[in-house]
Amino acid sequence: VQLQASGGGLVQAGGSLRLSCAASTTVFSINDMGWYCQAPGKQRELVATITSGGSTDYKDSVKGRFTISRDNVKNTVYLQMNSLKSEDTAVYYCTVGRVSGTYYYPALWGQGTQVTVSS
């Protein structure tokens, strides 16, 4: 399985971006997916997850602003990011993994895509 993320860029605070991550496999639909971010000098952290059944979860700081979704026909997961803040600036990574209770276990990582929010 390969993951190809795209959609990052430079945006002003308050703006929006949509990240996409295409998986190179038809087994995409049975996997849970997640987006992580890593800001400069900080640890990588989980942003959002979506199960194969479409259940979603978010870290507190993005709730109400970010939406994770998936298209099982296109083997693609999305992260719609609205009302962006400077603190959202990070490299964003998509992953294939497994949701178990309140935990997410990533198994495969795609390359990152840079999101830069200017204030």
Side-chain angles (χ1 to χ4, degrees), residues 45-94:
E45 60 178 334
L46 183 62
V47 176
T49 60
I50 185 165
T51 67
S52 58
S55 297
T56 60
D57 198 12
Y58 302 90
K59 70 169 184 173
D60 287 345
S61 63
V62 306
K63 287 181 180 177
R65 299 190 298 122
F66 290 12
T67 302
I68 188 171
S69 61
R70 63 192 297 159
D71 184 331
N72 291 336
V73 174
K74 296 181 178 180
N75 293 343
T76 301
V77 63
Y78 303 98
L79 186 67
Q80 178 67 44
M81 305 187 295
N82 298 329
S83 303
L84 282 160
K85 304 176 181 180
S86 57
E87 51 262 45
D88 296 320
T89 294
V91 178
Y92 285 74
Y93 299 88
C94 67

Side-chain angles (χ1 to χ4, degrees), residues 2-22:
Q2 290 185 329
L3 302 174
Q4 183 71 38
S6 61
L10 174 64
V11 63
Q12 287 188 331
S16 298
L17 282 174
R18 188 175 81 156
L19 305 184
S20 300
C21 179

